Amino acid sequence: MKTTVVFLGLTTIFLQNVLCTDFQKVYQWKQLAHRKQEDTARSNIVFREQILPQQSSFNESFDSYNNIPMGVTHHKGRLFITIPRRRPGVPATLNVIHMEKVAKDEQSPPLDAYPDYIINQLHNDYKADLKRIVSVYRSKVDACDRLWFVDTGMLEYPDNPIQVQRPQLWIIDLSRDRKVRTFEIPESIVQQGVGMASLVVDVEIESCDKAFAYIPDLVQGAIYVYSFEKNRMWSFNHSSFSHNPERANFFVAGQRFQWDDGIFSITLGKRNTTWRPVYYHPMVSTSEFTTSTATLQNETLANAGGYESHFQSLGERGPNTQSTMHHHDPETDVIFYAEVNRNAIGCWNTQNNFTTENHDIIQLDHKGLIYPTDLNADVNGTIWVLANNLPTWIYSRLDVNQFNFHVWRQTPRKAIAGTKCDLY
């Protein structure tokens, strides 16, 4: 009987590997590089040594090692790569790759600043300038061809963080490469922007002016809601937004560490008449939680309080399933998870009960998926993943002779074929 069980188990694994399709590796880098352009010289963005005023002890000359990619967003042939300023020497926090211009045999294309190097440039004395971008973690493109992101306004240099300016929400029209709007996040919402590492946009293409952005704050344990129509923001706080100390232990690429990141990722389910389910989780947790867009869009409720019952637990995903980003695919009704403690991409079909047994791994790679830091989808539904080996960068040192950063993609149906998430 035991032999039969083992045989059936191996058969199941074999069939799953045959049916599901591995994610396709798009690009990989040992270290990031920037393309020199004419506006580089005009803007004084340095690929040569820059002498800063004496009040600054940081050399902001381009330092490839200090440039670690954190977010990836694809839109119609352009790949946006975000590099938060966590160490000096980052010439641009928001970058782009024009994929059609990349040679077929080029696996490590250089980056261009987006929209240009001037807007990404720091002033030598680090003075505030709300027309410029200081530090961005991740971005999203909505159904109306607009790029959304939060500029934290923060330099997270080790042992010497600098709040250069107030955090801002930026919205850029990608069809014209023009800024639509910026919204300065007021102090009444949050003092510093360091915890705003992601966002999700809720909008229908026929009503672009009625968009909402939901922004988790992993430090403050809050969700900030921005109404494009009202040009106003409000916030929710709940115990489920906090990290779980019992899930604080990580072991990634030989590095053991403990983190306390709270609510990290929000994704939206299928619309049900006028509202959508909202799925969210802290990064330091293996639980998933839910609320609704009707709750988040209710500014009166946010200000009045008494909304604790509106936020509920779905259950546990399973051991070592701590996740950075996740995304709900409306076609398959599947949620995809970037699982950092397993170097994996996981999944759960929302038509199933939320149990550990109904979750599955669709991609596992202890070399090319070390710390999947971002996972989202483009307008065609294709899933894009960025892995960046962050714990090694923080606690040890990357081997610059090996590939450290990887961008992957796959269609949802191919990714889940033959897994527990495939109900078709």
Side-chain angles (χ1 to χ4, degrees):
M1 179 64 70
K2 290 183 178 179
T3 303
T4 303
V5 171
V6 172
F7 175 75
L8 289 174
L10 291 174
T11 302
T12 301
I13 294 173
F14 174 76
L15 288 174
Q16 179 172 319
N17 288 338
V18 169
L19 292 171
C20 68
T21 303
D22 283 346
F23 276 58
Q24 173 194 359
K25 186 175 290 183
V26 182
Y27 299 126
Q28 58 182 353
W29 296 267
K30 298 175 182 177
Q31 296 278 266
L32 296 179
H34 278 261
R35 190 190 312 278
K36 298 183 181 180
Q37 293 187 333
E38 290 182 0
D39 65 351
T40 301
R42 293 198 306 269
S43 68
N44 197 32
I45 286 287
V46 282
F47 293 91
R48 59 190 183 279
E49 185 175 1
Q50 180 179 16
I51 305 301
L52 297 178
Q54 288 189 357
Q55 65 262 31
S56 172
S57 59
F58 302 110
N59 183 355
E60 293 292 351
S61 303
F62 174 63
D63 185 332
S64 59
Y65 189 87
N66 286 355
N67 284 249
I68 187 164
M70 200 70 68
V72 62
T73 303
H74 175 260
H75 186 66
K76 298 181 178 178
R78 288 193 285 185
L79 200 64
F80 296 94
I81 303 288
T82 50
I83 306 172
R85 284 186 163 110
R86 297 181 61 148
R87 295 182 186 178
V90 177
T93 184
L94 181 61
N95 304 271
V96 68
I97 297 171
H98 297 271
M99 298 181 69
E100 76 281 358
K101 297 180 181 179
V102 178
K104 290 184 178 180
D105 60 349
E106 174 62 83
Q107 61 180 344
S108 307
L111 307 180
D112 289 311
Y114 184 84
D116 57 44
Y117 284 101
I118 297 175
I119 291 178
N120 278 271
Q121 182 185 12
L122 296 172
H123 286 285
N124 285 351
D125 57 358
Y126 299 135
K127 72 176 181 181
D129 185 344
L130 294 177
K131 295 180 180 179
R132 302 195 184 193
I133 308 169
V134 175
S135 188
V136 180
Y137 270 85
R138 294 170 183 85
S139 62
K140 281 289 190 298
V141 175
D142 69 8
C144 304
D145 289 336
R146 298 176 299 195
L147 181 72
W148 298 60
F149 58 89
V150 173
D151 172 15
T152 70
M154 188 95 175
L155 303 178
E156 297 175 67
Y157 295 167
D159 302 320
N160 198 352
I162 302 171
Q163 185 73 50
V164 175
Q165 59 196 35
R166 293 294 309 157
Q168 287 193 110
L169 176 65
W170 282 66
I171 308 167
I172 297 177
D173 181 355
L174 293 177
S175 65
R176 301 183 302 152
D177 292 317
R178 298 285 182 87
K179 183 172 70 175
V180 176
R181 179 185 298 174
T182 56
F183 176 80
E184 184 178 344
I185 300 176
E187 290 188 18
S188 60
I189 295 292
V190 67
Q191 291 295 312
Q192 294 184 333
V194 65
M196 289 179 279
S198 70
L199 78 168
V200 67
V201 183
D202 182 12
V203 67
E204 299 294 327
I205 194 168
E206 63 272 9
S207 54
C208 295
D209 289 342
K210 297 186 180 297
F212 288 86
Y214 311 127
I215 306 169
D217 188 322
L218 63 92
V219 173
Q220 299 300 321
I223 294 178
Y224 309 132
V225 181
Y226 172 75
S227 166
F228 186 90
E229 185 176 38
K230 297 178 180 179
N231 196 31
R232 199 158 60 236
M233 181 175 283
W234 51 92
S235 66
F236 289 88
N237 297 90
H238 192 266
S239 58
S240 63
F241 302 168
S242 300
H243 79 287
N244 181 352
E246 295 182 358
R247 300 292 183 267
N249 294 318
F250 290 78
F251 182 60
V252 179
Q255 306 300 316
R256 295 188 183 276
F257 52 95
Q258 290 187 333
W259 281 355
D260 61 359
D261 293 20
I263 183 168
F264 204 94
S265 179
I266 298 173
T267 190
L268 307 177
K270 286 185 177 180
R271 188 172 300 279
N272 181 2
T273 60
T274 58
W275 60 275
R276 302 171 71 177
V278 176
Y279 304 97
Y280 66 91
H281 60 251
M283 202 262 275
V284 179
S285 171
T286 55
S287 298
E288 193 71 19
F289 301 89
T290 187
T291 184
S292 74
T293 56
T295 294
L296 296 184
Q297 293 174 14
N298 191 333
E299 182 180 8
T300 302
L301 178 65
N303 293 330
Y307 47 70
E308 288 76 13
S309 62
H310 290 247
F311 298 87
Q312 299 180 344
S313 173
L314 283 175
E316 284 277 325
R317 294 190 297 272
N320 297 316
T321 57
Q322 291 93 333
S323 168
T324 49
M325 302 302 296
H326 66 338
H327 168 75
H328 173 268
D329 172 56
E331 182 183 353
T332 61
D333 224 7
V334 169
I335 292 180
F336 296 86
Y337 296 90
E339 298 182 355
V340 294
N341 223 3
R342 300 203 290 189
N343 299 329
I345 301 169
C347 68
W348 168 61
N349 194 311
T350 60
Q351 297 179 41
N352 281 330
N353 293 328
F354 195 95
T355 64
T356 299
E357 293 73 24
N358 284 332
H359 285 73
D360 211 344
I361 291 178
I362 59 175
Q363 183 85 355
L364 179 68
D365 188 334
H366 293 305
K367 191 172 182 180
L369 264 180
I370 298 175
Y371 200 87
T373 177
D374 200 6
L375 183 155
N376 58 57
D378 60 24
V379 292
N380 297 318
T382 300
I383 303 294
W384 293 76
V385 178
L386 170 66
N388 72 352
N389 213 331
L390 179 65
T392 302
W393 186 78
I394 294 175
Y395 300 112
S396 182
R397 186 161 183 88
L398 298 174
D399 182 351
V400 298
N401 297 311
Q402 301 293 325
F403 288 107
N404 294 297
F405 315 133
H406 307 263
V407 172
W408 305 83
R409 69 181 170 194
Q410 187 52 275
T411 61
R413 286 199 179 276
K414 288 184 178 180
I416 65 173
T419 71
K420 296 176 183 177
C421 300
D422 187 1
L423 302 183
Y424 301 92

